[in-house]
Amino acid sequence: MTLLPEIAHSGERTTVSYARLHAFTARLFAEHGIPDHRAHLAAEALCHGDLCGFDSHGLFNLTRLYLPLLRSGRVDPTAEPTTRIDLGACAVLDARRALGLWAAAEAVDAAAHRALEHGVGLVPVRGGTHFGCAGFHAARAAERGLVGIVASNCGSQRIARPPLGALAMLGTNPISVAAPALEGHPFVLDMSTTTVPTGKVRVAASDGERVPPGWLADDTGNPVTDPAAVDRGEAHLRWLGGEPATGAHKGFGLGLVVEVLSALLSGAGVGPAPAALDGDGGPHGRDDDIGYFVLVLAPDLLRPGGAFAADARSLFGTLLDCPAAAGEPVRYPGWHEAERAARRRRDGVPLRASVHRELVELGLDESDVDGGAR
């Protein structure tokens, strides 16, 4: 089996066992009022980012996003989501400002339960908060042999401008699709509809690094490589596809698809509301009342006898057998993340020095540093 080398990064890293990171994060969430079982689920969702190599959606966000949300009251630690409409295969939930890290995961579980009975489970959610990695939630379905589709808008927060537009109108609007593939390596597509999520830009800014041309542009459309320019109001995110001539309308269109499915369907806050027209061109609004779109399909009910699983193994196995054109072997979305997660569960999770310092300040025992999980 070929192992993907660790992601290239600059700066010092401190390795901490995954089990200790998860236990510490769960304890911290519980200390902020989240019930224990949900605190453990939320910690699993947050640490998933560091486990799989998505630093921008891992513990980097603990002090920047989740703890401030809890301390400000924008997240209700004891919220109990309620079912607004129940049609059997479909239901609409109100998360009531619950921590999205666990609320989205429970929505997937609810959709999976419906799918196992009806073949399909559709659960739009309103009243949500930031839920971390979309792929973590969609993969919960794949772990049960199901197909999961999860998307989220950014509530009333506007970050990206329409192609040729002068005002920010939409969020980064992530979407994930997960399905069983090869053993231990599910297919997991997890993507923002902008070129990158804002978290990747802020990680680069925190490390004092430049970003590749194509991530950001200034008001005239010229590329910007200084990630700090976003928070200075001198640059904005671009859509997948880049320029209008090279397909920016595709990323923008996908962003609108997510807005329709996650917000209009559930009744959550939307980005392109009339208030968006009062913007100054930069990001504005708040990511409150986020909407989730959760759809789970049960392949074995739609194709009895294991035909789906057999064909999936053939499909993804054939991709792996594709000859490489430039040295690196062909892999499908989710493969490298599964490899990296297995390695980091065994050897420990490398944290940026700044993130490790923040965790120590929050109470992580410095003796928890080691070369792997013990």
Side-chain angles (χ1 to χ4, degrees):
M1 181 181 295
T2 301
L3 291 179
L4 179 73
E6 288 293 346
I7 296 174
H9 50 71
S10 63
E12 179 186 353
R13 292 268 173 155
T14 303
T15 300
V16 183
S17 76
Y18 171 75
R20 290 172 177 171
L21 281 177
H22 177 266
F24 168 75
T25 307
R27 183 169 68 249
L28 197 62
F29 281 142
E31 289 171 355
H32 282 77
I34 297 175
D36 282 348
H37 68 290
R38 285 171 166 165
H40 278 81
L41 180 54
E44 183 182 356
L46 184 57
C47 292
H48 172 86
D50 301 283
L51 195 64
C52 294
F54 303 126
D55 290 6
S56 61
H57 284 62
L59 289 162
F60 176 81
N61 280 335
L62 185 62
T63 61
R64 292 166 180 78
L65 178 61
Y66 296 108
L67 294 185
L69 285 173
L70 285 161
R71 290 166 178 163
S72 68
R74 290 173 61 196
V75 165
D76 180 355
T78 61
E80 190 64 46
T82 58
T83 301
R84 296 298 186 185
I85 294 174
D86 192 335
L87 302 175
C90 308
V92 177
L93 301 184
D94 186 342
R96 303 176 67 194
R97 293 187 294 113
L99 183 63
L101 291 167
W102 67 257
E106 288 195 2
V108 171
D109 294 345
H113 176 77
R114 294 169 188 273
L116 289 170
E117 181 177 355
H118 302 286
V120 58
L122 172 63
V123 180
V125 182
R126 63 177 180 250
T129 62
H130 195 283
F131 69 10
C133 293
F136 170 81
H137 304 293
R140 289 179 72 81
E143 290 166 2
R144 302 174 66 171
L146 308 172
V147 176
I149 303 174
V150 175
S152 169
N153 81 335
C154 292
S156 299
Q157 185 180 39
R158 297 107 189 173
I159 299 170
R161 303 174 179 185
L164 307 180
L167 300 176
M169 290 276 176
L170 291 172
T172 54
N173 289 16
I175 185 168
S176 178
V177 180
L182 299 182
E183 183 66 28
H185 295 78
F187 167 77
V188 184
L189 174 68
D190 184 352
M191 53 175 272
S192 62
T193 50
T194 49
T195 305
V196 292
T198 52
K200 287 184 71 71
V201 176
R202 292 206 163 95
V203 166
S206 176
D207 287 350
E209 298 176 346
R210 292 278 169 175
V211 300
W215 284 20
L216 307 172
D218 63 18
D219 286 350
T220 62
N222 292 318
V224 174
T225 60
D226 176 8
V230 172
D231 286 334
R232 294 198 303 266
E234 299 169 359
H236 54 85
L237 283 173
R238 306 185 76 174
W239 294 102
L240 286 173
E243 300 284 348
T246 58
H249 60 284
K250 297 178 182 178
F252 174 60
L254 283 174
L256 286 172
V257 167
V258 171
E259 202 76 39
V260 169
L261 295 178
S262 63
L264 295 187
L265 203 58
S266 67
V270 298
L277 300 175
D278 296 329
D280 60 2
H284 62 110
R286 298 208 309 183
D287 55 345
D288 295 324
D289 194 15
I290 291 174
Y292 312 145
F293 173 78
V294 178
L295 176 65
V296 176
L297 308 171
D300 287 346
L301 293 185
L302 302 174
R303 295 187 65 192
F308 176 91
D311 284 352
R313 287 191 296 270
S314 174
L315 184 161
F316 291 105
T318 301
L319 285 173
L320 298 190
D321 291 337
C322 178
E328 286 292 329
V330 174
R331 295 292 182 257
Y332 55 82
W335 176 278
H336 290 316
E337 291 78 7
E339 294 279 280
R340 190 175 295 115
R343 189 163 61 252
R344 291 183 175 186
R345 284 184 187 275
R346 182 192 67 224
D347 299 334
V349 179
L351 298 175
R352 282 178 165 79
S354 59
V355 172
H356 180 253
R357 283 195 300 270
E358 291 170 358
L359 299 183
V360 169
E361 290 172 1
L362 289 170
L364 178 70
D365 189 342
E366 288 192 86
S367 65
D368 284 349
V369 175
D370 59 20
R374 290 200 291 257

